[in-house]
Amino acid sequence: MSRYTNGTDTHPFKWFETTYPNKSLPRNPEHWDIPDGPWWFAPSLPAPEIPIEQRIKSRRIQAMNAGTTFNGMIVETDDISQQRITGAAMAAFLDGTLVTHWKTPEGFMPLTAPVIIQVATHVGKFVQACYNREKALLEMENPTHADIDSGWPS
């Protein structure tokens, strides 16, 4: 028996293609010529088990994108923010007198070159701590029973 059936081996898309060869149903549902009869649908299959390595990786990505704080300032840590912080740190390294107005969730904050470099260093350590937590979970004897939601840096 096919996955979808109206009592025959006809697949509903085959019926659709022969009934509406131009691949479009009439706009008014009253004009739809859908055959009567019991349509059987296969029961939903259970979702496949996601490997523990993939679940831990997903949790690491979630932790890395959650952001961190530096001296009370909320710092976003998603991939694009990391790139921008790295670029600002490079500019601060090249020009020690640089002052930039960094946008945070609380608004713009003036940052001097040394502070920009400190923020970039802090974010780099935060990201590495996320990878370290992932590594520690994966190296456990039985990571399947590990609490993968705790122990992440913030």
Side-chain angles (χ1 to χ4, degrees):
M1 180 179 273
S2 66
R3 185 176 168 121
Y4 305 96
T5 181
N6 62 352
T8 69
D9 289 333
T10 305
H11 193 276
F13 294 117
K14 290 290 182 196
W15 169 84
F16 180 84
E17 289 171 0
T18 57
T19 307
Y20 298 101
N22 64 355
K23 307 287 189 273
S24 63
L25 286 172
R27 287 186 178 250
N28 187 346
E30 293 174 6
H31 298 165
W32 290 1
D33 184 23
I34 299 174
D36 293 332
W39 287 86
W40 302 95
F41 295 93
S44 297
L45 299 174
E49 181 66 28
I50 299 171
I52 188 65
E53 295 83 5
Q54 183 63 38
R55 291 186 3 225
I56 292 172
K57 176 185 175 184
S58 295
R59 183 62 181 92
R60 186 234 330 134
I61 292 170
Q62 180 186 5
M64 275 184 19
N65 289 333
T68 186
T69 57
F70 175 78
N71 291 343
M73 178 178 71
I74 297 173
V75 181
E76 295 179 2
T77 55
D78 59 272
D79 289 344
I80 292 174
S81 296
Q82 290 178 44
Q83 293 173 20
R84 291 176 179 155
I85 291 166
T86 301
M90 179 60 74
F93 179 75
L94 295 173
D95 179 5
T97 63
L98 177 73
V99 175
T100 187
H101 297 278
W102 196 260
K103 187 172 183 182
T104 69
E106 295 102 15
F108 287 94
M109 308 277 291
L111 301 178
T112 62
V115 174
I116 294 169
I117 293 170
Q118 290 172 355
V119 169
T121 301
H122 178 77
V123 168
K125 289 179 180 179
F126 169 79
V127 169
Q128 186 57 53
C130 291
Y131 279 107
N132 292 345
R133 176 65 179 147
E134 178 184 22
K135 182 178 184 284
L137 287 169
L138 292 173
E139 290 177 345
M140 292 178 72
E141 190 171 316
N142 191 356
T144 306
H145 299 294
D147 179 12
I148 66 171
D149 290 320
S150 64
W152 295 94
S154 58

